Amino acid sequence: MTGTRKAVAALFLLPALVLLGALVLYPIGFSVLRSFFDKSGDFAGVDNYETMFEDSGIRTAVKNTAIWVVFAPAVATALGLIFAVLTERVRWGTAFKIVIFMPMAISMLAAGIIFRLVYEANPDRGVANAVWVGVHDTFVESSHFPSGHPAARSPMKEAGDGAFVTREPVRAGHPVALPLTGVPPNKMPDDAASAKRAEADPGKVTGTAWQDFTRGKGRGEVNAPDAVELGYPGIRIEAVKDGEVVASTTAADDGTFALPKEADGALLRYPASNFREPYDGVNWLGPSLITPAVIGSYVWMWAGFAMVLIAAGLASVPRELLEAARVDGANEWQVFRRVTVPLLAPVLAVVLVTLMINVMKIFDLVFVIPPGSSKDEANVLAVQLYNSAFGDQNDGVASAIAVLLFVLVLPVMWFNLRRLRREAKR
């Protein structure tokens, strides 16, 4: 009645209000005011906002931020939901949750450095490409001889499309020499053995496929295998008559091979598949894949966060409802889609909104992971704000970007407040 309680409440709230004003309201007000001034501090009106939407780099940042907001929270939340549901059904669920949540203990900067190495293009160093190349090579055989080719005086010639063919038809009982050169000694297969001259066989076409190169000037015999030269193990040889393959085989470790009598009178050919460049994987850090690659690193970190919150919500779901649905004949997918997900809707909304706010100000991963050639394609608003403020020294444009970020966050915050008020009325 006397207002004493209001005065006491105001005194208790005063420290919080001072901090709120100094750390939140003042920076927002100053940023809005500064956005109307140019680089030199003169009043510029809305020029900074016009520049913001005319600059191609800032437009790319807006587009990428939209991609982040749409995909990163959705994927992280979906994975968190799947992990939370599945870990309820296994004995080692707690250990699995610890492993999935562990990336949250790593800073964004450290995670960026880790994934810069994971996405390394060289499959000998980059984990992503090592796995990708391993899977690819399981189904598509790579060549050991991508740089192989006939020498100037070789009995072979180019046949087009990367293949090589003998200059003359071959005959059964007359061993054939199929020399190549151009493969560095350190790139030869580990199972390559010393090349041998093939033995004559009246009923077969025999020969040797080998690396016709001996170190040292004047050493070795041209177009004939020497003891120090290596065979081409596994290289494919085809016998071709009238444009059709009538027989084929692969060379042994010492380069020797044998074809059936059907090859008599045919031309022998090294098909182009022998010289296919080895598959080096995907250019994860290239301009076309850099944004999905960085989003992948974010999901790796935050899927555990989503899983923990959703698992907590799942623990409070009445088991009677799930059992009742099963008794009524619903299968596990129907129980998940019609019962579990609707009951978890409030928790899913919290996780989704939290991650949406988080990705709008994503900075560390986008700053660290992309190489210099892909930084422009990976740009987001928070990184562009940093570049404008500290790179271009243009505080006006940087403040305009900050205001844009603030405006973009407002609808998400409004949705969150509405949700909290609805829950408070229940």
Side-chain angles (χ1 to χ4, degrees):
M1 296 296 293
T2 60
T4 303
R5 290 187 177 181
K6 291 183 180 180
V8 172
L11 287 173
F12 276 103
L13 290 174
L14 185 60
L17 293 174
V18 170
L19 288 175
L20 182 67
L23 301 180
V24 178
L25 298 180
Y26 172 74
I28 291 174
F30 181 81
S31 296
V32 172
L33 183 64
R34 186 65 183 84
S35 67
F36 294 107
F37 291 84
D38 62 15
K39 190 173 183 178
S40 59
D42 298 327
F43 184 76
V46 295
D47 290 352
N48 290 326
Y49 292 94
E50 292 178 356
T51 300
M52 187 169 61
F53 291 104
E54 291 172 356
D55 184 272
S56 60
I58 300 178
R59 288 203 304 270
T60 300
V62 172
K63 180 194 72 174
N64 287 339
T65 301
I67 293 173
W68 272 87
V69 171
V70 171
F71 290 102
V75 174
T77 303
L79 286 176
L81 175 61
I82 293 170
F83 291 152
V85 172
L86 293 181
T87 50
E88 273 208 332
R89 299 175 175 272
V90 293
R91 288 184 177 179
W92 39 269
T94 302
F96 181 82
K97 288 178 182 177
I98 292 173
V99 172
I100 297 298
F101 187 75
M102 198 174 294
M104 285 295 298
I106 303 173
S107 70
M108 285 278 199
L109 180 63
I113 295 172
I114 290 170
F115 272 85
R116 180 66 180 270
L117 298 175
V118 167
Y119 291 135
E120 175 69 41
N122 187 344
D124 293 333
R125 291 186 292 176
V127 175
N129 263 346
V131 173
W132 195 267
V133 170
V135 173
H136 175 273
D137 290 349
T138 302
F139 300 98
V140 180
E141 186 176 356
S142 295
S143 169
H144 289 289
F145 321 107
S147 55
H149 62 272
R153 292 181 287 170
S154 173
M156 305 198 72
K157 63 179 182 179
E158 292 187 7
D161 298 327
F164 304 106
V165 67
T166 54
R167 298 179 185 273
E168 302 292 337
V170 297
R171 296 296 177 187
H174 297 276
V176 184
L178 301 181
L180 291 176
T181 187
V183 180
N186 61 333
K187 296 294 184 180
M188 289 290 289
D190 294 336
D191 53 351
S194 297
K196 293 182 180 180
R197 295 174 185 263
E199 297 181 1
D201 187 332
K204 295 181 180 181
V205 173
T206 59
T208 305
W210 84 100
Q211 172 88 338
D212 190 21
F213 174 78
T214 304
R215 291 180 181 272
K217 185 177 180 180
R219 297 181 61 187
E221 184 180 349
V222 177
N223 294 333
D226 300 318
V228 295
E229 294 172 346
L230 298 176
Y232 278 163
I235 195 168
R236 189 166 188 79
I237 302 107
E238 297 175 342
V240 182
K241 287 183 179 179
D242 299 324
E244 294 186 2
V245 177
V246 296
S248 64
T249 188
T250 56
D253 291 351
D254 57 7
T256 57
F257 64 88
L259 288 162
K261 196 168 185 179
E262 288 80 5
D264 184 53
L267 295 174
L268 297 192
R269 180 176 69 185
Y270 283 135
S273 59
N274 288 319
F275 313 105
R276 185 189 302 115
E277 289 291 335
Y279 182 67
D280 289 330
V282 177
N283 187 12
W284 300 103
L285 300 178
S288 58
L289 288 178
I290 186 61
T291 294
V294 181
I295 289 176
S297 66
Y298 177 87
V299 170
W300 175 76
M301 288 192 68
W302 287 86
F305 167 82
M307 178 196 65
V308 169
L309 292 188
I310 295 170
L314 191 60
S316 64
V317 172
R319 302 301 169 193
E320 297 81 5
L321 296 177
L322 303 180
E323 294 301 326
R326 294 188 181 99
V327 169
D328 288 341
N331 57 37
E332 291 302 318
W333 168 245
Q334 290 172 328
V335 171
F336 173 76
R337 186 166 61 91
R338 299 291 183 88
V339 181
T340 304
V341 172
L343 289 174
L344 289 175
V347 179
L348 295 176
V350 170
V351 174
L352 197 61
V353 169
T354 303
L355 294 181
M356 287 176 69
I357 296 172
N358 184 269
V359 300
M360 282 188 186
K361 53 188 178 66
I362 190 71
F363 175 84
D364 313 65
L365 296 176
V366 182
F367 190 79
V368 174
I369 294 177
S373 58
S374 300
K375 279 193 177 296
D376 291 341
E377 286 75 13
N379 201 15
V380 292
L381 284 173
V383 174
Q384 182 61 44
L385 190 156
Y386 174 86
N387 291 335
S388 297
F390 300 103
D392 301 335
Q393 299 292 316
N394 194 333
D395 293 344
V397 173
S399 297
I401 296 173
V403 172
L404 175 63
L405 270 174
F406 176 70
V407 171
L408 292 176
V409 169
L410 285 178
V412 182
M413 294 300 299
W414 175 77
F415 171 80
N416 208 23
L417 288 173
R418 282 194 60 187
R419 182 187 57 78
L420 290 173
R421 287 174 180 173
R422 284 199 303 267
E423 290 184 1
K425 292 177 180 179
R426 291 178 182 176

